[in-house]
Every structure is written in C-alpha cells, then in structure tokens.
Amino acid sequence: MSTIFHANAVSIESLLNFPATLNVPTKKWHSALTKIYCSRTLFSLAEIAKAKRIDQTSLAELVKMKDLDELHKFDGVRRVASALETDFDAGICGSDQDIARRREAFGSNTYKKPPSKSLFYFVVDALKDLTILILLGCAVLSLAFGIKEHGLKEGWYDGGSILVLFGHCHFSWKNGRRQQISIFEIVVGDVICLKIGDQVPADGLFLDGHSLQVDESSMTGESDHLEVNSSQNPFLFSGTKVADGYARMLATSVGMNTTWGQRMSQISRDNSEQTPLQARLNELTSSTGKIGLAVAFLALVVLLLRYFTGNTTDENGNQEYNGSKTKVDDIVNAVVGIVAATVTIIEVAIPEGLPLAVTLTLAYSMKRMMADQVMVRKLSACETMGSATTIGTDKTGTLTENRMKVTKFWLGKELVKEADASSVSPNIIKLIQEGVALNTTGSVYRETSVSDVEFSGSPTEKAILSWAVLEMNMDMEEPLITNIMWRNLLVQAFCQIAVLLTLQFIGESIFGVNEKVKDTLIFNTFVLCHVFNEFNARKLEKKNVFEGIHKNRLFLGIIGTTIVFQVVMVEFLKKFADTERLSWGQ
C-alpha cells in the first residue's frame, strides 16, 4: 500500500512540473490527471490510516465474535489482507525480516507453558499441612528415642525410615508460491491452504474455496458441521477440523491470541484447589488425628501408671520398677519405650496418605480425559463426572426467567404423578435422594428451621435440588459414609481385629514360633488384610468384586507393588524393618 502511495506521489510531482508553453487543451488534460492522482493519493492515505487501526486485539475480537458488521467496516476480507500487507493470491513476502516483524507485532503460533515448580516449592507447601507437621514431630521423637534405646547403629531405623518416606504440517503461500511449513512457523497474514482432515492452525478469515465445512465441536460442543463461506460465515477458529471441501484462509491471530489460546490461558493451573471430596477427607483426617492424639495421650498415662505402680514385668518375668532399687538408666529406657509406643499410635492413627491418594486419582483421571480430547478446566470436574451414570443433554434456547422446575419424573418407564409419589418404595426414594446429593455442584442452605430454603447452582441443579428437598423430603445433610459403607467397614474391622487378636494371644502356640516370628506374622497379616479390603472396596454393592479387574491396570499395579514391597520387607529387610523371615506356610 505504501508503494502505491509512493507511485501516486511521483506521478503528481511529474504532472505539476509540466512546461508552461503547453496549449489550453493540453493544460486541461494535465489538470484533470493531476486531480485524479491527487484523489488516488488521498484515498491511499485514508487506507493507510485505516490499516494502522487494525491491531491484534481488533483482529482477534473480529473472528472470536464472528462480527460481520465489523468486517464490513474494514471493507471485507480483501481489505484486511491488504492492511496486513498480504497479497490475496501470492501471500506474504516471507523474508526473514518480514517473519520477525510479524512475530513481534502479533506473536508466534505457540502456546505458553506454565513455569515449572521446584522441589523446594513442594516441600514448603507440604510443611503447611498440620498432619505432616505432626508426623515430622513423631519422626524426630522416634529417631531420638530409638538412638537412646538401641544406639546409633540400629536405633535410627524407625525414625529415619519415617523421614525418608516423608521426604503435524500445513501448506501456506509465501513469496508467491505454495510452501509446506510447520504450524508453529505460521504468522499473522499467512495464506493457509486447508483440505479435508486438516486441523485449522490459527484463527482467520475465509479467502476462497469450495464447500468448506468445519467441525467446531471442540469449541462449541455442537456436533453438526458448520459451513464456512465468504458471505455469511467467513470465520475460522484454531483447533477446529475440516470435515469437507477445501479453502484458503487468511491467518489473523496465532498462538495465545487465538480463541483456543485464550480459553487455554483461562484454565486453572493452581493445584492447591480442593475438590469437595478432598475437603471432606481433610476434615476426616483432622478428626482422626485428634482422636489418635487423645488415644495416644490416654495410653501414655495408663502405661506410665502401670510402670510406676509395679504392674509391668520384663522378659524374664521380673518386676520392672522396684522404687529406689531401680536404676535411673532403666527408668529412662522404660519411659522412652512407653513414649515411643504412644508415638507409634499417633503415626498409625493419622491417614496421611488418604488425601494424596485422592489427588493422584483425580490427576490420573484428568490426564486420561485430556487424552480423549476433553478439556478439563477444574480438577473437581473429574470427581463430578466419576459419579455420573447417565448424562441428559438439552439443546433448547435460554429460558425467559432462567428458572427451571421439575414437573414430571419416571420410575423406569413408568410415569409417576405427584399424587402417587408417596407410593414409591422408601428404598427407591432414598436412592434418588442420594443420587441427587452426590451428583451436584449446587448447595442448599437454611438459616433456621423456619426460614425458607435457599438453593444455589445452575438452573438445572436448583430445580433438581428443590424437587428432591421440598417434594421428596431429602435430608439436607447427606452422610459422607453411606449405610453400605458402614456395613462393609464394620464387618471388615471385626474380622481384621478378630484375626489379629487371635495371632497376638495364641499365635505362638498355633504356629509353634517365637515372639519375633509371631510379630512378623501379625504385621504380614495386617498388610494382607488391607489388600483384601482394597479388593472388597472395588464394588460395594456387588458380590463379584473381581469383575473387570483385568482391565484396571492401575489397580493391579498398586496391588502388585504392595505385595512385592511386603515380601521384600519381610524376607530381606530384617534389621531395618525388625522382621523375621517366614516360610511359605506361614
């Protein structure tokens, strides 16, 4: 455009310098030509000023909003291409200077990666957890008492072990010819060729083509193919796929300036976000830790009272404490042993791995969903979708008041009228209530028993919650642990306690072993009981807990790793784990 302006200016200069000896008709022709070239020059100046108003923001908004009126203000796609100094047929100049200038002005066709966090960041973040601080204190005490009781050579095993454990290509037009380049080399102003199966590499405008249809489901969720043409819909978005036809497009936004890039930048990358389940599990962990501290303190008082009242004996059956006859060193060792036992209670009582297990599971689910081309904005969405069994979609327009209400519901294929709702089995009503409570991100609030119930969430969630609470008489405080879970927990706890107590009191006589082998048997049985519980927790309401287990490689990997580590600890880490080797029968 600047070249056209320069040519017009030169022409005006030559016309103004005409000889004075020309006759009158010739002077009139020169005057007319001068006016024509002046008009062209003024028009070129207007176009240059208009082109300068086309910046990255206006180009991105133009395509993002599919604003035809704004496009018409720019006098169409050809004028936008001219403003970007792009030849409609030959593309951009394509020189190194031209590419560098465009990248500096409009950015590159790449996406920013979040800065990586150091190991020190995660260590400091972990130290903010009260549970970790309690365990660290227990580890330090266990390390100190272990060294005091057994010496540095073997006394560091328990405390030290706790500390260790804590611790694709597109064609574009450049320089008048068609070239194959990487999508990451595309710049604003490039003319890109598209065909069936291609993924649109940048936001842009339709130049020319035939029967172009694109799949915008990744952007809008609509599965229908959208026709793109020069008259009604000339807008193309990065990330969409060409379903039919072929075309050439003008790139107007690349990289983080595209609609897809802006969406990606809005995705929360803060891993500190807690899902509802994680928040409730943290409360459970905190409560369990407090109970463990209380039990440990009670055990400490009882054990100290038993020791100092002479109710404890050593390995030979002799009374441990005999008043002034007992050596100070023996008293200190005994007290250290008692404190170490209570510290062990605290260590076992705090389920510090439970929130971590949930976080790892959600992160794994998020990775699997991303592999299936599902964009996960929040980690809690994986938790929500994990509880979904049926998804109902709706394609109607926005409601006038943006309010919804449940008017009918079906039990199987049978329509249940409002008057007949009381005839539905209470168990079915309970299942419906649990389904509503466990599959919503909304909330229900009532300040007092006589206040109106307040519902929050999307219109659909508020409608379902209102129906469940007001018409189905749902209790607004749904339990974290259901009756089925309580049944399994109590049965498993009873069986596990019965087995472990049997081994504790008569295990030596049953297997004919000494006390150390018996303790190893108890430890081994305890771990295997947990493995059994992991199988039993796969399907709470079904008898066959092994169904589909061969498809769950993550579960099999966890079980296999647990068993392998247990065998290694029992058979090879005798001093470190304080275990004895067992036979296959044991």
Side-chain angles (χ1 to χ4, degrees):
M1 188 177 294
S2 59
T3 304
I4 297 173
F5 169 74
H6 180 70
N8 289 332
V10 171
S11 300
I12 293 172
E13 184 180 2
S14 62
L15 287 171
L16 290 175
N17 295 327
F18 61 87
T21 57
L22 294 178
N23 54 30
V24 175
T26 305
K27 288 182 179 181
K28 290 183 177 180
W29 278 107
H30 272 278
S31 177
L33 288 173
T34 302
K35 291 178 180 179
I36 292 173
Y37 278 105
C38 285
S39 299
R40 288 182 177 179
T41 303
L42 291 175
F43 180 76
S44 299
L45 285 171
E47 290 300 311
I48 292 173
K50 192 172 185 178
K52 290 181 179 179
R53 293 197 299 270
I54 300 180
D55 55 9
Q56 178 57 63
T57 304
S58 60
L59 283 175
E61 287 297 317
L62 172 68
V63 178
K64 179 181 179 180
M65 305 306 295
K66 294 188 175 182
D67 196 339
L68 278 173
D69 294 335
E70 189 68 22
L71 182 60
H72 292 326
K73 291 180 181 178
F74 287 118
D75 294 332
V77 178
R78 285 184 177 270
R79 194 63 66 189
V80 173
S82 178
L84 294 174
E85 299 184 11
T86 299
D87 188 278
F88 200 82
D89 298 316
I92 64 175
C93 171
S95 64
D96 293 340
Q97 294 81 2
D98 184 40
I99 298 295
R101 180 174 58 85
R102 291 175 185 272
R103 284 180 177 167
E104 182 179 357
F106 301 103
S108 62
N109 198 26
T110 56
Y111 297 100
K112 295 180 180 178
K113 294 183 179 180
S116 59
K117 297 177 181 178
S118 64
L119 178 62
F120 180 74
Y121 170 84
F122 292 103
V123 172
V124 173
D125 188 60
L127 289 174
K128 298 176 183 178
D129 191 346
L130 178 61
T131 303
I132 300 299
L133 293 177
I134 293 174
L135 289 175
L136 269 177
C138 294
V140 172
L141 289 176
S142 179
L143 181 62
F145 293 153
I147 294 175
K148 174 65 179 63
E149 185 175 358
H150 302 290
L152 181 61
K153 186 177 181 181
E154 296 183 357
W156 66 272
Y157 289 157
D158 291 341
S161 61
I162 298 173
L163 289 173
V164 170
L165 290 174
F166 168 73
H168 153 38
C169 294
H170 279 268
F171 289 95
S172 68
W173 286 89
K174 279 185 171 69
N175 200 21
R177 65 187 183 90
R178 183 172 176 173
Q179 303 178 31
Q180 183 175 358
I181 62 172
S182 168
I183 59 173
F184 303 113
E185 298 177 4
I186 292 175
V187 294
V188 171
D190 265 331
V191 176
I192 303 167
C193 302
L194 301 174
K195 63 181 184 302
I196 296 177
D198 282 346
Q199 181 170 322
V200 181
D203 284 2
L205 298 171
F206 177 91
L207 292 179
D208 53 39
H210 179 69
S211 302
L212 182 65
Q213 290 189 344
V214 295
D215 179 5
E216 293 188 354
S217 58
S218 61
M219 302 291 296
T220 63
E222 298 289 342
S223 58
D224 296 336
H225 296 161
L226 189 66
E227 183 177 355
V228 179
N229 50 48
S230 58
S231 57
Q232 298 178 344
N233 181 31
F235 307 102
L236 290 158
F237 295 98
S238 174
T240 58
K241 291 185 178 181
V242 179
D244 193 14
Y246 62 89
R248 294 190 311 148
M249 67 169 282
L250 172 68
T252 57
S253 299
V254 294
M256 298 302 295
N257 296 316
T258 63
T259 305
W260 176 261
Q262 292 174 3
R263 288 192 180 186
M264 292 294 290
S265 64
Q266 294 171 1
I267 296 178
S268 175
R269 301 185 183 275
D270 187 3
N271 294 329
S272 62
E273 175 193 10
Q274 284 191 340
T275 68
L277 178 59
Q278 285 177 314
R280 299 184 73 176
L281 285 177
N282 283 338
E283 292 180 5
L284 179 63
T285 302
S286 178
S287 301
T288 306
K290 292 176 182 177
I291 296 173
L293 286 172
V295 172
F297 178 76
L298 181 62
L300 177 63
V301 172
V302 172
L303 291 175
L304 288 175
L305 288 175
R306 292 186 72 247
Y307 174 75
F308 285 108
T309 55
N311 291 319
T312 57
T313 58
D314 57 17
E315 296 177 354
N316 300 320
N318 299 323
Q319 185 176 337
E320 287 186 313
Y321 182 75
N322 290 317
S324 59
K325 298 179 181 180
T326 308
K327 297 179 180 179
V328 176
D329 192 51
D330 293 338
I331 296 175
V332 172
N333 288 335
V335 172
V336 167
I338 292 172
V339 174
T342 57
V343 167
T344 304
I345 295 175
I346 299 174
E347 294 170 359
V348 175
I350 300 177
E352 74 282 353
L354 189 58
L356 176 62
V358 175
T359 304
L360 291 176
T361 303
L362 291 176
Y364 177 75
S365 301
M366 183 177 181
K367 184 178 180 181
R368 290 286 299 273
M369 294 176 75
M370 292 289 283
D372 293 334
Q373 308 302 318
V374 178
M375 185 170 62
V376 182
R377 292 181 180 271
K378 294 184 178 180
L379 198 62
S380 58
C382 300
E383 176 186 317
T384 303
M385 293 305 298
S387 303
T389 56
T390 304
I391 301 175
T393 60
D394 190 285
K395 294 183 68 176
T396 57
T398 305
L399 299 175
T400 306
E401 295 181 351
N402 201 23
R403 293 171 58 186
M404 300 179 67
K405 180 181 179 181
V406 176
T407 58
K408 298 178 181 178
F409 79 98
W410 282 258
L411 185 58
K413 295 184 179 181
E414 182 180 355
L415 174 63
V416 179
K417 299 181 180 179
E418 292 185 9
D420 299 335
S422 58
S423 62
V424 180
S425 170
N427 292 332
I428 300 297
I429 297 295
K430 185 66 175 177
L431 286 174
I432 294 175
Q433 293 173 348
E434 291 180 357
V436 172
L438 296 174
N439 293 280
T440 182
T441 57
S443 61
V444 183
Y445 175 75
R446 174 184 282 176
E447 186 174 1
T448 63
S449 59
V450 295
S451 302
D452 293 334
V453 181
E454 298 178 8
F455 302 94
S456 62
S458 67
T460 305
E461 289 176 327
K462 289 194 289 186
I464 296 176
L465 286 171
S466 174
W467 170 71
V469 172
L470 302 180
E471 298 184 24
M472 306 298 288
N473 299 320
M474 182 180 78
D475 185 4
M476 291 189 292
E477 293 294 333
E478 285 295 324
L480 176 62
I481 304 178
T482 63
N483 291 334
I484 297 176
M485 293 180 183
W486 276 119
R487 179 199 66 191
N488 288 10
L489 285 172
L490 292 175
V491 172
Q492 292 167 11
F494 176 78
C495 294
Q496 186 168 328
I497 291 173
V499 172
L500 294 178
L501 288 178
T502 301
L503 291 176
Q504 174 66 29
F505 291 106
I506 58 175
E508 296 181 24
S509 59
I510 292 176
F511 292 96
V513 295
N514 57 32
E515 185 178 0
K516 275 206 167 185
V517 176
K518 180 202 70 175
D519 292 340
T520 305
L521 278 171
I522 294 175
F523 170 57
N524 199 52
T525 304
F526 177 78
V527 173
L528 293 180
C529 284
H530 276 286
V531 172
F532 169 77
N533 291 341
E534 290 176 8
F535 278 97
N536 197 35
R538 290 188 70 242
K539 300 180 182 292
L540 297 177
E541 300 180 13
K542 295 185 179 180
K543 294 181 179 180
N544 185 10
V545 296
F546 299 101
E547 181 181 355
I549 194 172
H550 62 283
K551 299 179 181 178
N552 195 336
R553 296 181 179 178
L554 178 63
F555 178 80
L556 293 176
I558 293 173
I559 295 296
T561 304
T562 303
I563 295 175
V564 169
F565 281 158
Q566 180 63 16
V567 172
V568 170
M569 288 187 68
V570 172
E571 297 296 322
F572 303 103
L573 301 179
K574 180 179 178 181
K575 285 189 176 182
F576 185 81
D578 196 20
T579 57
E580 292 289 334
R581 300 188 67 176
L582 301 177
S583 64
W584 286 107
Q586 294 169 342

